[in-house]
C-alpha cells in the first residue's frame, strides 16, 4: 500500500431493504465480518428511526433463552491485515429522520478519523448473468449513483453519500447490477463484484474464500433456467449482444415483467419440487 493510501481511513456502509437487491451489498459487509478479525464498536439505536411494521423485531434463541432482537445499525472495526483497518456500518434502511441518521453516522466516522466513506448498493437491471455484472461508481457530488441523467427516488446510501461529501469526506458509491430475471435469491456474483471494486479503491486484495465457487453455482443454476425457457433464453442472448456491443446496462424489452414472473415461478418449483405421483 502506498504512503498516501495508508493515511486514508475507510468506512464502508451497506443497508438492507430497497437498496440491496439479492442482499448483494449487505452480504459484502457480512463477508468482511466473517473472513477477517472484527469487533463491534458502536450502534445507532432503533426507536427514532424504524417503523416496526416494516422492519420488525425478531424473536431469537440465545443460549437457550428467548430474546427479542430490535432492528439497529451497527458499526464494526475490521482488521484486513497489519497495515489495513476499515470501519463498516450495516443495518436496515431507516424509515424516519434520515438527515439526523446520516449526521449520527458521520459523527461516528469523524470520531474514528475516517477520511473516505464508501456506500454500497445493489439494483435489479437488464444485464446478463453470463457477463461480468456491471458496477457503477459515483462521487458524492454526482447526480446519482446509477446514471448522471437519473431523476427519481433514492435510498439511504445516496443520502449518506451526499451528506458525507458536504461534510468534507471523500465520498463515493458503488452499485452492482443484478439480473432482474433471476428473482430475489442471494447473488454471490454481485457480492464478489462489489468486493473486487472495493479492493481496487482501498488498495488491498480481499480474501474471497468460497465466493468464486458460490458464484459459479449461481451461474450454473441460471444457465439451467434459461435452457428451460426459450423466451428467456432469447432475452438473455439479446442482453449479451447489447452488453458486448455498447456496454449499456438497461435494455428495454416488452416482455421483461412476464419473464421475471415466469422465472420466479420456476425458481419456486425448483426449490420446492412437487411430490411424485403414485
Amino acid at each position: 500500500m502506498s504512503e498516501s493510501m495508508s493515511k486514508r481511513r475507510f468506512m464502508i456502509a451497506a443497508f438492507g431493504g430497497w437498496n440491496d437487491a439479492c442482499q448483494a451489498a449487505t452480504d459484502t459487509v457480512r463477508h468482511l465480518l466473517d473472513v477477517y478479525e472484527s469487533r463491534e464498536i458502536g450502534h445507532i439505536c432503533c426507536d427514532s428511526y424504524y417503523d416496526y411494521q416494516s422492519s420488525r423485531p425478531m424473536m431469537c434463541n440465545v443460549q437457550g433463552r428467548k430474546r427479542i432482537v430490535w432492528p439497529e445499525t451497527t458499526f464494526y472495526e475490521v482488521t484486513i491485515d497489519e497495515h489495513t483497518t476499515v470501519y463498516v456500518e450495516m443495518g436496515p434502511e431507516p424509515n424516519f429522520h434520515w438527515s439526523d441518521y446520516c449526521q449520527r453516522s458521520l459523527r461516528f466516522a469523524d470520531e474514528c478519523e475516517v477520511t473516505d466513506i464508501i456506500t454500497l448498493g445493489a439494483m435489479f437491471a437488464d444485464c446478463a448473468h453470463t457477463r461480468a455484472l456491471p458496477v457503477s461508481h459515483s462521487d458524492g457530488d454526482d447526480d446519482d449513483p446509477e446514471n448522471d441523467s437519473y431523476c427519481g427516488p433514492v435510498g439511504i446510501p445516496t443520502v449518506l453519500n451526499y451528506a458525507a461529501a458536504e461534510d468534507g469526506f471523500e465520498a463515493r458509491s458503488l452499485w452492482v447490477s443484478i439480473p432482474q430475471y433471476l428473482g430475489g435469491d442471494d447473488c454471490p456474483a454481485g457480492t464478489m463484484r462489489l468486493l473486487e471494486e472495493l479492493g481496487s479503491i482501498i488498495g488491498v486484495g480481499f480474501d474471497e474464500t468460497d465466493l468464486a465457487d458460490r458464484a459459479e453455482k449461481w451461474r450454473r443454476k441460471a444457465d439451467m433456467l434459461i435452457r428451460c425457457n426459450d423466451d428467456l433464453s432469447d432475452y438473455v442472448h439479446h442482453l449479451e449482444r447489447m452488453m458486448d456491443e455498447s456496454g449499456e446496462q438497461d435494455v428495454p424489452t416488452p416482455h421483461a415483467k412476464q419473464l421475471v414472473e415466469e422465472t420466479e415461478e420456476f425458481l419456486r418449483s425448483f426449490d420446492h419440487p412437487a411430490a411424485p405421483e403414485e
Side-chain angles (χ1 to χ4, degrees):
M1 182 181 295
S2 68
E3 181 179 353
S4 60
M5 184 69 73
S6 66
K7 295 179 180 178
R8 296 163 63 184
R9 296 169 71 88
F10 292 87
M11 186 172 83
I12 303 161
F15 305 92
W18 185 76
N19 323 274
D20 192 24
C22 292
Q23 302 82 51
T26 50
D27 278 351
T28 303
V29 169
R30 292 188 187 97
H31 178 83
L32 296 177
L33 298 177
D34 288 343
V35 171
Y36 298 102
E37 180 181 348
S38 62
R39 65 186 183 94
E40 292 185 15
I41 55 175
H43 300 271
I44 297 179
C45 295
C46 49
D47 283 350
S48 299
Y49 302 107
Y50 292 105
D51 171 4
Y52 295 139
Q53 290 183 321
S54 59
S55 299
R56 291 188 178 273
M58 302 291 291
M59 179 68 74
C60 300
N61 279 307
V62 180
Q63 295 181 338
R65 298 183 62 182
K66 287 189 175 182
R67 176 186 173 190
I68 294 178
V69 178
W70 298 88
E72 66 177 2
T73 297
T74 305
F75 297 88
Y76 302 86
E77 181 184 77
V78 183
T79 302
I80 306 301
D81 56 39
E82 60 180 330
H83 303 294
T84 310
T85 296
V86 299
Y87 300 91
V88 299
E89 174 182 9
M90 184 171 65
E93 181 179 57
N95 303 103
F96 309 116
H97 308 304
W98 281 19
S99 295
D100 181 68
Y101 179 91
C102 289
Q103 288 306 310
R104 290 191 62 177
S105 297
L106 296 178
R107 283 198 298 272
F108 190 88
D110 194 51
E111 291 170 2
C112 294
E113 300 181 339
V114 164
T115 59
D116 294 61
I117 293 178
I118 305 173
T119 58
L120 306 181
M123 57 188 172
F124 288 113
D126 290 318
C127 59
H129 74 278
T130 54
R131 301 292 185 265
L133 299 183
V135 177
S136 60
H137 297 239
S138 79
D139 296 327
D141 55 358
D142 282 350
D143 288 338
D144 183 75
E146 304 168 24
N147 190 318
D148 287 345
S149 62
Y150 176 82
C151 293
V154 296
I156 196 67
T158 304
V159 176
L160 178 60
N161 188 248
Y162 274 67
E166 289 177 351
D167 276 13
F169 294 92
E170 290 292 327
R172 55 175 58 86
S173 287
L174 301 177
W175 288 74
V176 64
S177 294
I178 307 294
Q180 64 160 334
Y181 56 85
L182 293 181
D185 287 347
D186 290 349
C187 183
T191 296
M192 189 163 67
R193 288 287 289 122
L194 285 175
L195 201 66
E196 291 167 352
E197 295 296 322
L198 276 175
S200 67
I201 293 171
I202 295 174
V204 298
F206 287 117
D207 183 353
E208 296 179 354
T209 59
D210 64 341
L211 272 179
D213 289 341
R214 290 172 52 211
E216 182 58 31
K217 291 178 182 177
W218 173 83
R219 291 189 180 93
R220 288 201 299 267
K221 184 176 179 179
D223 288 341
M224 183 186 69
L225 174 67
I226 65 172
R227 286 197 298 268
C228 297
N229 186 316
D230 290 340
D231 288 340
L232 183 57
S233 178
D234 291 342
Y235 172 50
V236 172
H237 292 323
H238 178 59
L239 293 176
E240 291 172 336
R241 289 193 298 271
M242 294 295 291
M243 293 178 73
D244 291 343
E245 292 172 3
S246 67
E248 293 181 0
Q249 299 176 22
D250 298 316
V251 183
T253 171
H255 305 299
K257 182 177 180 181
Q258 178 183 351
L259 289 171
V260 171
E261 292 173 351
E262 292 176 358
T263 298
E264 291 175 344
E265 178 62 30
F266 178 86
L267 290 173
R268 284 193 293 270
S269 67
F270 180 83
D271 291 332
H272 304 285
E277 296 182 0
E278 296 183 357

